[in-house]
Short mmCIF file of all heavy atoms in Angstrom, two decimals:
data_model
loop_
_atom_site.label_atom_id
_atom_site.label_comp_id
_atom_site.label_asym_id
_atom_site.label_seq_id
_atom_site.Cartn_x
_atom_site.Cartn_y
_atom_site.Cartn_z
N MET A 1 -0.71 26.96 2.28
CA MET A 1 -1.05 25.61 2.75
C MET A 1 -0.32 25.35 4.04
O MET A 1 0.82 25.81 4.32
CB MET A 1 -0.50 24.57 1.68
CG MET A 1 -0.83 23.17 2.11
SD MET A 1 -0.88 22.02 0.70
CE MET A 1 -1.23 20.56 1.54
N THR A 2 -1.02 24.63 4.92
CA THR A 2 -0.42 24.35 6.20
C THR A 2 0.21 22.94 6.35
O THR A 2 -0.05 22.07 5.41
CB THR A 2 -1.56 24.44 7.26
OG1 THR A 2 -2.52 23.43 6.97
CG2 THR A 2 -2.25 25.73 7.26
N ASP A 3 0.98 22.71 7.36
CA ASP A 3 1.58 21.47 7.52
C ASP A 3 0.89 20.55 8.55
O ASP A 3 1.28 19.54 8.89
CB ASP A 3 3.02 21.71 7.97
CG ASP A 3 3.91 22.28 6.97
OD1 ASP A 3 3.65 22.13 5.76
OD2 ASP A 3 4.88 23.00 7.32
N TRP A 4 -0.36 21.05 8.89
CA TRP A 4 -1.07 20.28 9.88
C TRP A 4 -1.74 19.14 9.24
O TRP A 4 -2.11 19.18 8.06
CB TRP A 4 -2.15 21.24 10.61
CG TRP A 4 -1.59 22.28 11.36
CD1 TRP A 4 -0.60 22.19 12.29
CD2 TRP A 4 -1.93 23.78 11.25
NE1 TRP A 4 -0.36 23.43 12.82
CE2 TRP A 4 -1.14 24.27 12.23
CE3 TRP A 4 -2.92 24.39 10.54
CZ2 TRP A 4 -1.21 25.69 12.36
CZ3 TRP A 4 -2.92 25.76 10.71
CH2 TRP A 4 -2.23 26.35 11.66
N THR A 5 -1.92 18.04 10.05
CA THR A 5 -2.51 16.86 9.50
C THR A 5 -3.61 16.36 10.39
O THR A 5 -3.83 16.78 11.53
CB THR A 5 -1.49 15.69 9.39
OG1 THR A 5 -1.00 15.34 10.71
CG2 THR A 5 -0.25 16.12 8.51
N GLU A 6 -4.42 15.52 9.81
CA GLU A 6 -5.53 14.83 10.69
C GLU A 6 -4.93 14.08 11.82
O GLU A 6 -5.47 13.99 12.88
CB GLU A 6 -6.38 14.00 9.83
CG GLU A 6 -7.27 14.78 8.85
CD GLU A 6 -8.40 15.54 9.55
OE1 GLU A 6 -8.76 15.22 10.65
OE2 GLU A 6 -8.82 16.49 8.90
N THR A 7 -3.70 13.53 11.57
CA THR A 7 -3.00 12.78 12.65
C THR A 7 -2.74 13.65 13.84
O THR A 7 -2.99 13.30 15.02
CB THR A 7 -1.69 12.12 12.15
OG1 THR A 7 -2.01 11.32 11.02
CG2 THR A 7 -1.02 11.33 13.17
N GLU A 8 -2.15 14.82 13.60
CA GLU A 8 -1.86 15.77 14.67
C GLU A 8 -3.19 16.19 15.32
O GLU A 8 -3.31 16.26 16.57
CB GLU A 8 -1.10 17.01 14.07
CG GLU A 8 -0.89 18.06 15.12
CD GLU A 8 -0.13 19.29 14.55
OE1 GLU A 8 0.03 19.43 13.38
OE2 GLU A 8 0.18 20.17 15.39
N LEU A 9 -4.20 16.51 14.54
CA LEU A 9 -5.48 16.94 15.14
C LEU A 9 -6.01 15.87 16.04
O LEU A 9 -6.53 16.11 17.13
CB LEU A 9 -6.45 17.34 13.95
CG LEU A 9 -7.80 17.89 14.47
CD1 LEU A 9 -7.66 19.08 15.41
CD2 LEU A 9 -8.56 18.30 13.30
N SER A 10 -6.09 14.56 15.56
CA SER A 10 -6.56 13.53 16.39
C SER A 10 -5.73 13.36 17.64
O SER A 10 -6.35 13.12 18.74
CB SER A 10 -6.47 12.16 15.59
OG SER A 10 -7.38 12.26 14.47
N ALA A 11 -4.46 13.53 17.65
CA ALA A 11 -3.64 13.42 18.87
C ALA A 11 -3.96 14.43 19.76
O ALA A 11 -4.02 14.33 21.01
CB ALA A 11 -2.18 13.43 18.44
N LEU A 12 -4.12 15.70 19.28
CA LEU A 12 -4.54 16.88 20.10
C LEU A 12 -5.90 16.61 20.80
O LEU A 12 -6.06 16.95 22.01
CB LEU A 12 -4.55 18.15 19.30
CG LEU A 12 -3.22 18.67 18.86
CD1 LEU A 12 -3.41 19.69 17.73
CD2 LEU A 12 -2.41 19.24 19.95
N ARG A 13 -6.80 16.11 20.09
CA ARG A 13 -8.08 15.75 20.58
C ARG A 13 -8.10 14.79 21.67
O ARG A 13 -8.76 14.90 22.68
CB ARG A 13 -9.07 15.41 19.45
CG ARG A 13 -9.56 16.50 18.59
CD ARG A 13 -10.40 16.11 17.43
NE ARG A 13 -10.88 17.17 16.68
CZ ARG A 13 -11.35 17.02 15.46
NH1 ARG A 13 -11.29 15.78 14.74
NH2 ARG A 13 -11.74 17.99 14.79
N ARG A 14 -7.29 13.69 21.43
CA ARG A 14 -7.17 12.64 22.42
C ARG A 14 -6.54 13.25 23.76
O ARG A 14 -6.97 12.89 24.86
CB ARG A 14 -6.37 11.54 21.94
CG ARG A 14 -7.08 10.54 21.01
CD ARG A 14 -6.25 9.26 20.74
NE ARG A 14 -4.96 9.54 20.29
CZ ARG A 14 -4.59 9.73 18.95
NH1 ARG A 14 -5.61 9.75 18.03
NH2 ARG A 14 -3.41 9.90 18.59
N ALA A 15 -5.55 13.94 23.66
CA ALA A 15 -4.85 14.56 24.79
C ALA A 15 -5.89 15.43 25.56
O ALA A 15 -5.97 15.36 26.70
CB ALA A 15 -3.65 15.41 24.37
N TYR A 16 -6.61 16.27 24.84
CA TYR A 16 -7.58 17.16 25.46
C TYR A 16 -8.68 16.34 26.27
O TYR A 16 -9.04 16.69 27.34
CB TYR A 16 -8.22 18.12 24.48
CG TYR A 16 -9.09 19.13 25.05
CD1 TYR A 16 -8.60 20.24 25.77
CD2 TYR A 16 -10.55 18.93 24.98
CE1 TYR A 16 -9.36 21.14 26.35
CE2 TYR A 16 -11.33 19.97 25.53
CZ TYR A 16 -10.80 21.05 26.23
OH TYR A 16 -11.66 21.97 26.86
N ALA A 17 -9.13 15.28 25.56
CA ALA A 17 -10.21 14.45 26.19
C ALA A 17 -9.68 13.72 27.47
O ALA A 17 -10.46 13.48 28.33
CB ALA A 17 -10.70 13.54 25.12
N SER A 18 -8.43 13.44 27.44
CA SER A 18 -7.86 12.67 28.54
C SER A 18 -7.42 13.65 29.70
O SER A 18 -7.01 13.09 30.78
CB SER A 18 -6.72 11.71 28.10
OG SER A 18 -5.60 12.48 27.75
N GLY A 19 -7.43 14.90 29.43
CA GLY A 19 -6.97 15.86 30.45
C GLY A 19 -5.54 16.17 30.55
O GLY A 19 -5.11 16.72 31.53
N THR A 20 -4.72 15.69 29.60
CA THR A 20 -3.32 15.87 29.66
C THR A 20 -2.93 17.08 28.72
O THR A 20 -3.77 17.41 27.84
CB THR A 20 -2.47 14.73 29.25
OG1 THR A 20 -1.22 14.88 29.42
CG2 THR A 20 -2.79 14.25 27.84
N THR A 21 -1.85 17.69 28.92
CA THR A 21 -1.49 18.79 28.00
C THR A 21 -0.19 18.41 27.26
O THR A 21 0.38 19.15 26.51
CB THR A 21 -1.13 20.02 28.90
OG1 THR A 21 -0.12 19.79 29.82
CG2 THR A 21 -2.41 20.59 29.47
N ARG A 22 0.34 17.17 27.32
CA ARG A 22 1.40 16.63 26.52
C ARG A 22 0.88 15.80 25.43
O ARG A 22 0.08 14.92 25.59
CB ARG A 22 2.38 15.80 27.47
CG ARG A 22 3.53 15.35 26.65
CD ARG A 22 4.50 14.60 27.64
NE ARG A 22 5.73 14.14 26.90
CZ ARG A 22 6.78 14.86 26.75
NH1 ARG A 22 6.78 16.15 27.16
NH2 ARG A 22 7.85 14.43 26.12
N VAL A 23 1.27 16.23 24.25
CA VAL A 23 0.76 15.55 22.96
C VAL A 23 1.95 14.92 22.20
O VAL A 23 3.02 15.64 22.03
CB VAL A 23 0.11 16.59 22.05
CG1 VAL A 23 -0.44 15.90 20.85
CG2 VAL A 23 -1.04 17.28 22.78
N SER A 24 1.84 13.67 21.85
CA SER A 24 2.88 12.98 21.02
C SER A 24 2.22 12.43 19.75
O SER A 24 1.14 11.86 19.83
CB SER A 24 3.50 11.90 21.79
OG SER A 24 4.11 12.32 23.03
N TYR A 25 2.91 12.68 18.58
CA TYR A 25 2.40 12.20 17.38
C TYR A 25 3.61 12.20 16.37
O TYR A 25 4.48 13.07 16.40
CB TYR A 25 1.23 13.00 16.74
CG TYR A 25 1.63 14.46 16.52
CD1 TYR A 25 1.99 14.85 15.27
CD2 TYR A 25 1.53 15.44 17.56
CE1 TYR A 25 2.40 16.12 15.04
CE2 TYR A 25 1.96 16.68 17.36
CZ TYR A 25 2.30 17.08 16.12
OH TYR A 25 2.71 18.37 15.81
N ASP A 26 3.68 11.25 15.45
CA ASP A 26 4.67 11.22 14.41
C ASP A 26 6.14 11.42 15.01
O ASP A 26 6.96 12.12 14.35
CB ASP A 26 4.36 12.21 13.29
CG ASP A 26 3.21 11.91 12.48
OD1 ASP A 26 2.72 10.81 12.50
OD2 ASP A 26 2.65 12.94 11.99
N GLY A 27 6.37 10.81 16.21
CA GLY A 27 7.69 10.91 16.69
C GLY A 27 7.99 12.32 17.35
O GLY A 27 9.15 12.50 17.80
N LYS A 28 6.99 13.11 17.52
CA LYS A 28 7.13 14.48 18.06
C LYS A 28 6.37 14.50 19.42
O LYS A 28 5.47 13.84 19.54
CB LYS A 28 6.60 15.60 17.14
CG LYS A 28 7.23 15.60 15.77
CD LYS A 28 6.47 16.49 14.89
CE LYS A 28 6.91 16.41 13.45
NZ LYS A 28 6.09 17.19 12.48
N SER A 29 6.85 15.33 20.31
CA SER A 29 6.08 15.61 21.58
C SER A 29 6.14 17.13 21.83
O SER A 29 7.03 17.88 21.63
CB SER A 29 6.89 14.97 22.70
OG SER A 29 6.51 13.64 22.72
N VAL A 30 4.93 17.57 22.23
CA VAL A 30 4.74 19.00 22.56
C VAL A 30 4.02 19.13 23.95
O VAL A 30 3.09 18.36 24.14
CB VAL A 30 3.88 19.76 21.51
CG1 VAL A 30 3.71 21.14 21.86
CG2 VAL A 30 4.51 19.57 20.13
N ASP A 31 4.47 19.95 24.76
CA ASP A 31 3.85 20.25 26.03
C ASP A 31 3.13 21.66 25.95
O ASP A 31 3.74 22.60 25.64
CB ASP A 31 4.87 20.35 27.18
CG ASP A 31 5.36 19.01 27.60
OD1 ASP A 31 4.58 18.03 27.80
OD2 ASP A 31 6.58 18.82 27.78
N TYR A 32 1.80 21.64 26.18
CA TYR A 32 1.10 22.86 26.18
C TYR A 32 0.93 23.38 27.59
O TYR A 32 0.84 22.60 28.57
CB TYR A 32 -0.30 22.64 25.56
CG TYR A 32 -0.14 22.42 24.08
CD1 TYR A 32 -0.06 21.12 23.58
CD2 TYR A 32 -0.21 23.44 23.19
CE1 TYR A 32 0.18 20.95 22.22
CE2 TYR A 32 -0.12 23.27 21.74
CZ TYR A 32 0.08 21.96 21.34
OH TYR A 32 0.26 21.88 19.91
N GLY A 33 0.91 24.65 27.81
CA GLY A 33 0.85 25.24 29.09
C GLY A 33 -0.36 25.00 29.83
O GLY A 33 -0.40 24.93 31.12
N SER A 34 -1.50 24.87 29.18
CA SER A 34 -2.82 24.67 29.79
C SER A 34 -3.70 23.92 28.88
O SER A 34 -3.54 23.88 27.61
CB SER A 34 -3.39 25.95 30.33
OG SER A 34 -3.77 26.75 29.26
N ALA A 35 -4.88 23.51 29.36
CA ALA A 35 -5.87 22.91 28.53
C ALA A 35 -6.49 23.94 27.59
O ALA A 35 -6.81 23.56 26.49
CB ALA A 35 -7.09 22.34 29.40
N GLU A 36 -6.57 25.16 27.99
CA GLU A 36 -7.05 26.26 27.13
C GLU A 36 -5.99 26.52 25.84
O GLU A 36 -6.51 26.74 24.83
CB GLU A 36 -7.12 27.59 27.93
CG GLU A 36 -8.25 27.56 28.89
CD GLU A 36 -7.91 26.89 30.18
OE1 GLU A 36 -6.68 26.79 30.52
OE2 GLU A 36 -8.87 26.41 30.83
N ASP A 37 -4.76 26.47 26.13
CA ASP A 37 -3.81 26.51 25.11
C ASP A 37 -3.89 25.36 24.06
O ASP A 37 -3.89 25.61 22.92
CB ASP A 37 -2.32 26.49 25.58
CG ASP A 37 -1.95 27.67 26.44
OD1 ASP A 37 -2.70 28.74 26.30
OD2 ASP A 37 -0.99 27.56 27.17
N LEU A 38 -4.20 24.21 24.57
CA LEU A 38 -4.35 22.98 23.79
C LEU A 38 -5.68 23.15 22.97
O LEU A 38 -5.68 22.91 21.78
CB LEU A 38 -4.42 21.73 24.68
CG LEU A 38 -4.60 20.41 23.94
CD1 LEU A 38 -3.56 20.11 22.89
CD2 LEU A 38 -4.65 19.33 24.96
N LEU A 39 -6.67 23.59 23.60
CA LEU A 39 -7.98 23.78 22.91
C LEU A 39 -7.87 24.91 21.80
O LEU A 39 -8.43 24.68 20.77
CB LEU A 39 -9.10 24.09 23.83
CG LEU A 39 -10.53 24.20 23.29
CD1 LEU A 39 -10.96 22.99 22.53
CD2 LEU A 39 -11.54 24.63 24.31
N ALA A 40 -7.11 25.90 22.11
CA ALA A 40 -6.94 26.97 21.04
C ALA A 40 -6.18 26.32 19.81
O ALA A 40 -6.55 26.79 18.68
CB ALA A 40 -6.13 28.15 21.72
N ARG A 41 -5.17 25.49 20.10
CA ARG A 41 -4.46 24.93 19.00
C ARG A 41 -5.32 24.04 18.16
O ARG A 41 -5.30 24.06 16.97
CB ARG A 41 -3.23 24.15 19.55
CG ARG A 41 -2.49 23.45 18.49
CD ARG A 41 -1.67 24.47 17.73
NE ARG A 41 -0.62 23.76 17.00
CZ ARG A 41 0.18 24.30 16.24
NH1 ARG A 41 0.21 25.67 16.11
NH2 ARG A 41 1.10 23.66 15.58
N ILE A 42 -6.24 23.25 18.79
CA ILE A 42 -7.19 22.44 18.22
C ILE A 42 -8.11 23.18 17.25
O ILE A 42 -8.36 22.94 16.07
CB ILE A 42 -8.06 21.61 19.16
CG1 ILE A 42 -7.18 20.49 19.95
CG2 ILE A 42 -9.21 20.94 18.51
CD1 ILE A 42 -7.83 19.92 21.05
N ARG A 43 -8.68 24.30 17.83
CA ARG A 43 -9.53 25.20 17.12
C ARG A 43 -8.85 25.79 15.82
O ARG A 43 -9.38 25.91 14.74
CB ARG A 43 -10.07 26.21 17.92
CG ARG A 43 -11.01 25.73 19.12
CD ARG A 43 -12.19 25.09 18.52
NE ARG A 43 -13.07 24.51 19.60
CZ ARG A 43 -13.31 23.22 19.81
NH1 ARG A 43 -12.91 22.29 18.93
NH2 ARG A 43 -14.01 22.82 20.83
N THR A 44 -7.57 26.18 16.08
CA THR A 44 -6.80 26.79 14.93
C THR A 44 -6.66 25.83 13.77
O THR A 44 -6.83 26.12 12.64
CB THR A 44 -5.46 27.26 15.44
OG1 THR A 44 -5.61 28.36 16.45
CG2 THR A 44 -4.62 27.81 14.33
N ILE A 45 -6.24 24.64 14.09
CA ILE A 45 -6.08 23.64 13.13
C ILE A 45 -7.39 23.19 12.49
O ILE A 45 -7.39 23.03 11.23
CB ILE A 45 -5.34 22.33 13.71
CG1 ILE A 45 -3.98 22.80 14.17
CG2 ILE A 45 -5.33 21.24 12.73
CD1 ILE A 45 -3.26 21.64 14.96
N GLU A 46 -8.45 23.07 13.21
CA GLU A 46 -9.72 22.80 12.66
C GLU A 46 -10.22 23.85 11.64
O GLU A 46 -10.69 23.52 10.53
CB GLU A 46 -10.84 22.70 13.75
CG GLU A 46 -10.78 21.51 14.63
CD GLU A 46 -11.77 21.44 15.74
OE1 GLU A 46 -12.24 22.44 16.21
OE2 GLU A 46 -12.01 20.37 16.21
N ARG A 47 -9.95 25.13 11.96
CA ARG A 47 -10.37 26.21 11.04
C ARG A 47 -9.49 26.14 9.81
O ARG A 47 -9.97 26.38 8.67
CB ARG A 47 -10.19 27.58 11.75
CG ARG A 47 -11.35 27.96 12.67
CD ARG A 47 -11.25 29.42 13.12
NE ARG A 47 -10.07 29.75 13.77
CZ ARG A 47 -9.89 29.62 15.13
NH1 ARG A 47 -10.91 29.21 15.87
NH2 ARG A 47 -8.81 30.00 15.62
N ALA A 48 -8.19 25.89 9.95
CA ALA A 48 -7.31 25.83 8.82
C ALA A 48 -7.63 24.70 7.90
O ALA A 48 -7.72 24.88 6.67
CB ALA A 48 -5.84 25.68 9.24
N ILE A 49 -7.92 23.51 8.45
CA ILE A 49 -8.28 22.37 7.62
C ILE A 49 -9.56 22.59 6.96
O ILE A 49 -9.76 22.32 5.76
CB ILE A 49 -8.27 21.09 8.53
CG1 ILE A 49 -6.89 20.73 8.83
CG2 ILE A 49 -8.99 20.03 7.69
CD1 ILE A 49 -6.71 19.55 9.83
N ALA A 50 -10.61 23.18 7.67
CA ALA A 50 -11.80 23.46 7.10
C ALA A 50 -11.79 24.46 5.94
O ALA A 50 -12.44 24.37 5.02
CB ALA A 50 -12.88 24.01 8.13
N GLY A 51 -10.96 25.45 6.10
CA GLY A 51 -10.68 26.43 5.09
C GLY A 51 -10.13 25.81 3.83
O GLY A 51 -10.43 26.32 2.69
N ILE A 52 -9.25 24.79 4.02
CA ILE A 52 -8.60 24.15 2.79
C ILE A 52 -9.65 23.26 2.03
O ILE A 52 -9.62 23.24 0.93
CB ILE A 52 -7.38 23.41 3.29
CG1 ILE A 52 -6.36 24.35 3.76
CG2 ILE A 52 -6.79 22.52 2.24
CD1 ILE A 52 -5.17 23.62 4.48
N THR A 53 -10.42 22.53 2.89
CA THR A 53 -11.16 21.45 2.27
C THR A 53 -12.65 22.04 1.88
O THR A 53 -13.39 21.41 1.22
CB THR A 53 -11.38 20.33 3.20
OG1 THR A 53 -11.95 20.75 4.42
CG2 THR A 53 -9.99 19.61 3.46
N ARG A 54 -13.00 23.24 2.33
CA ARG A 54 -14.31 23.79 2.00
C ARG A 54 -14.34 24.18 0.49
O ARG A 54 -13.39 24.83 0.01
CB ARG A 54 -14.55 25.08 2.83
CG ARG A 54 -16.02 25.61 2.61
CD ARG A 54 -16.14 26.89 3.50
NE ARG A 54 -15.80 26.64 4.82
CZ ARG A 54 -15.19 27.52 5.58
NH1 ARG A 54 -14.71 28.60 5.18
NH2 ARG A 54 -14.91 27.18 6.85
N PRO A 55 -15.38 23.75 -0.19
CA PRO A 55 -15.47 24.11 -1.60
C PRO A 55 -15.71 25.58 -1.83
O PRO A 55 -16.29 26.27 -0.93
CB PRO A 55 -16.68 23.33 -2.07
CG PRO A 55 -17.44 23.00 -0.86
CD PRO A 55 -16.51 22.91 0.24
N LEU A 56 -15.15 26.13 -2.91
CA LEU A 56 -15.39 27.47 -3.18
C LEU A 56 -16.86 27.71 -3.53
O LEU A 56 -17.43 26.92 -4.17
CB LEU A 56 -14.54 27.91 -4.34
CG LEU A 56 -12.92 27.81 -4.09
CD1 LEU A 56 -12.24 28.15 -5.36
CD2 LEU A 56 -12.59 28.77 -2.95
N PRO A 57 -17.32 28.90 -3.09
CA PRO A 57 -18.78 29.29 -3.43
C PRO A 57 -18.87 29.41 -4.93
O PRO A 57 -17.95 29.82 -5.70
CB PRO A 57 -18.99 30.53 -2.69
CG PRO A 57 -17.62 31.09 -2.41
CD PRO A 57 -16.76 29.93 -2.34
N VAL A 58 -20.04 29.17 -5.42
CA VAL A 58 -20.33 29.37 -6.89
C VAL A 58 -20.97 30.73 -7.05
O VAL A 58 -21.94 31.08 -6.36
CB VAL A 58 -21.29 28.25 -7.36
CG1 VAL A 58 -21.83 28.58 -8.81
CG2 VAL A 58 -20.78 26.89 -7.11
N ALA A 59 -20.41 31.50 -8.00
CA ALA A 59 -20.87 32.82 -8.14
C ALA A 59 -22.00 32.76 -9.20
O ALA A 59 -21.96 31.95 -10.21
CB ALA A 59 -19.77 33.71 -8.72
N GLY A 60 -22.99 33.58 -9.03
CA GLY A 60 -24.06 33.64 -9.97
C GLY A 60 -24.03 34.94 -10.85
O GLY A 60 -23.17 35.82 -10.53
N LEU A 61 -24.88 35.02 -11.84
CA LEU A 61 -24.84 36.15 -12.72
C LEU A 61 -26.16 36.89 -12.53
O LEU A 61 -27.27 36.27 -12.67
CB LEU A 61 -24.70 35.76 -14.15
CG LEU A 61 -24.72 36.87 -15.27
CD1 LEU A 61 -23.50 37.83 -14.98
CD2 LEU A 61 -24.58 36.36 -16.58
N ALA A 62 -26.17 38.10 -12.17
CA ALA A 62 -27.38 38.87 -11.92
C ALA A 62 -27.83 39.52 -13.23
O ALA A 62 -27.02 40.00 -14.08
CB ALA A 62 -27.13 39.93 -10.83
N GLY A 63 -29.13 39.48 -13.47
CA GLY A 63 -29.63 40.16 -14.65
C GLY A 63 -30.64 41.24 -14.22
O GLY A 63 -31.23 41.10 -13.26
N PHE A 64 -30.71 42.25 -15.00
CA PHE A 64 -31.58 43.41 -14.69
C PHE A 64 -32.40 43.77 -15.96
O PHE A 64 -31.93 43.54 -17.06
CB PHE A 64 -30.76 44.69 -14.30
CG PHE A 64 -29.87 44.37 -13.09
CD1 PHE A 64 -28.53 44.02 -13.20
CD2 PHE A 64 -30.37 44.60 -11.88
CE1 PHE A 64 -27.74 43.79 -12.06
CE2 PHE A 64 -29.65 44.30 -10.73
CZ PHE A 64 -28.39 43.98 -10.81
N SER A 65 -33.60 44.20 -15.72
CA SER A 65 -34.42 44.58 -16.75
C SER A 65 -35.20 45.91 -16.32
O SER A 65 -35.65 45.92 -15.17
CB SER A 65 -35.45 43.50 -17.05
OG SER A 65 -36.36 43.98 -18.02
N ARG A 66 -35.27 46.81 -17.31
CA ARG A 66 -36.07 48.03 -17.02
C ARG A 66 -37.57 47.75 -17.08
O ARG A 66 -38.26 48.59 -16.66
CB ARG A 66 -35.59 49.09 -17.88
CG ARG A 66 -34.23 49.56 -17.64
CD ARG A 66 -33.74 50.56 -18.65
NE ARG A 66 -34.72 51.65 -18.84
CZ ARG A 66 -34.51 52.68 -19.65
NH1 ARG A 66 -33.34 52.81 -20.26
NH2 ARG A 66 -35.41 53.61 -19.84
N GLY A 67 -37.95 46.66 -17.72
CA GLY A 67 -39.31 46.41 -17.84
C GLY A 67 -40.01 46.97 -19.02
O GLY A 67 -41.15 46.64 -19.34
N ASP A 68 -39.45 47.96 -19.66
CA ASP A 68 -40.08 48.68 -20.79
C ASP A 68 -39.49 48.26 -22.12
O ASP A 68 -39.83 48.81 -23.16
CB ASP A 68 -40.05 50.19 -20.60
CG ASP A 68 -38.63 50.72 -20.59
OD1 ASP A 68 -37.72 49.95 -20.40
OD2 ASP A 68 -38.47 51.98 -20.84
N ARG A 69 -38.56 47.39 -22.14
CA ARG A 69 -37.88 46.98 -23.37
C ARG A 69 -37.97 45.52 -23.57
O ARG A 69 -37.95 44.65 -22.84
CB ARG A 69 -36.47 47.42 -23.37
CG ARG A 69 -36.39 48.93 -23.41
CD ARG A 69 -34.98 49.41 -23.52
NE ARG A 69 -34.95 50.77 -23.36
CZ ARG A 69 -34.04 51.49 -23.57
NH1 ARG A 69 -32.85 51.01 -23.97
NH2 ARG A 69 -34.08 52.87 -23.48
#
Protein backbone atom coordinates (compact mmCIF):
# COMPACT_ATOMS: atom_id res chain seq x y z
CA MET A 1 0.00 0.00 0.00
CA THR A 2 1.21 3.49 -0.78
CA ASP A 3 1.14 6.62 1.31
CA TRP A 4 -0.04 8.78 -1.59
CA THR A 5 -3.32 10.59 -1.23
CA GLU A 6 -5.80 12.35 -3.49
CA THR A 7 -4.77 15.58 -1.69
CA GLU A 8 -1.17 15.16 -2.83
CA LEU A 9 -2.26 14.27 -6.36
CA SER A 10 -4.53 17.33 -6.54
CA ALA A 11 -1.71 19.59 -5.36
CA LEU A 12 0.64 18.14 -7.97
CA ARG A 13 -1.92 18.65 -10.72
CA ARG A 14 -2.55 22.26 -9.66
CA ALA A 15 1.18 23.00 -9.64
CA TYR A 16 1.65 21.43 -13.06
CA ALA A 17 -1.31 23.35 -14.50
CA SER A 18 0.03 26.64 -13.13
CA GLY A 19 3.52 26.03 -14.51
CA THR A 20 5.33 25.88 -11.19
CA THR A 21 7.54 23.07 -9.91
CA ARG A 22 7.09 23.81 -6.18
CA VAL A 23 4.28 21.82 -4.57
CA SER A 24 2.87 22.34 -1.08
CA TYR A 25 0.29 20.13 0.65
CA ASP A 26 -0.42 18.95 4.20
CA GLY A 27 2.30 21.24 5.59
CA LYS A 28 4.93 19.78 3.24
CA SER A 29 6.75 21.43 0.33
CA VAL A 30 8.61 19.75 -2.50
CA ASP A 31 10.61 21.35 -5.32
CA TYR A 32 10.74 19.33 -8.55
CA GLY A 33 13.62 19.85 -10.97
CA SER A 34 11.41 20.30 -14.01
CA ALA A 35 7.85 20.08 -15.28
CA GLU A 36 8.73 16.64 -16.69
CA ASP A 37 9.76 15.45 -13.22
CA LEU A 38 6.50 16.74 -11.80
CA LEU A 39 4.46 15.07 -14.55
CA ALA A 40 6.31 11.79 -14.00
CA ARG A 41 5.39 11.94 -10.29
CA ILE A 42 1.75 12.63 -11.17
CA ARG A 43 1.66 9.62 -13.52
CA THR A 44 3.33 7.37 -10.93
CA ILE A 45 0.75 8.28 -8.29
CA GLU A 46 -2.15 7.94 -10.75
CA ARG A 47 -1.01 4.43 -11.68
CA ALA A 48 -0.56 3.45 -8.04
CA ILE A 49 -3.98 4.76 -7.01
CA ALA A 50 -5.65 3.15 -10.03
CA GLY A 51 -4.00 -0.15 -9.20
CA ILE A 52 -5.29 -0.02 -5.67
CA THR A 53 -8.85 0.98 -6.51
CA ARG A 54 -9.27 -1.15 -9.64
CA PRO A 55 -11.52 -4.15 -8.96
CA LEU A 56 -9.98 -7.56 -9.39
CA PRO A 57 -10.94 -9.41 -12.57
CA VAL A 58 -13.47 -12.19 -12.29
CA ALA A 59 -12.13 -15.56 -13.33
CA GLY A 60 -14.34 -17.85 -15.38
CA LEU A 61 -14.44 -21.61 -15.58
CA ALA A 62 -13.80 -23.18 -18.96
CA GLY A 63 -15.62 -26.32 -19.93
CA PHE A 64 -14.61 -28.83 -22.58
CA SER A 65 -16.52 -31.52 -24.39
CA ARG A 66 -15.28 -34.15 -26.80
CA GLY A 67 -18.70 -34.13 -28.42
CA ASP A 68 -19.09 -37.94 -28.44
CA ARG A 69 -20.19 -38.41 -24.85
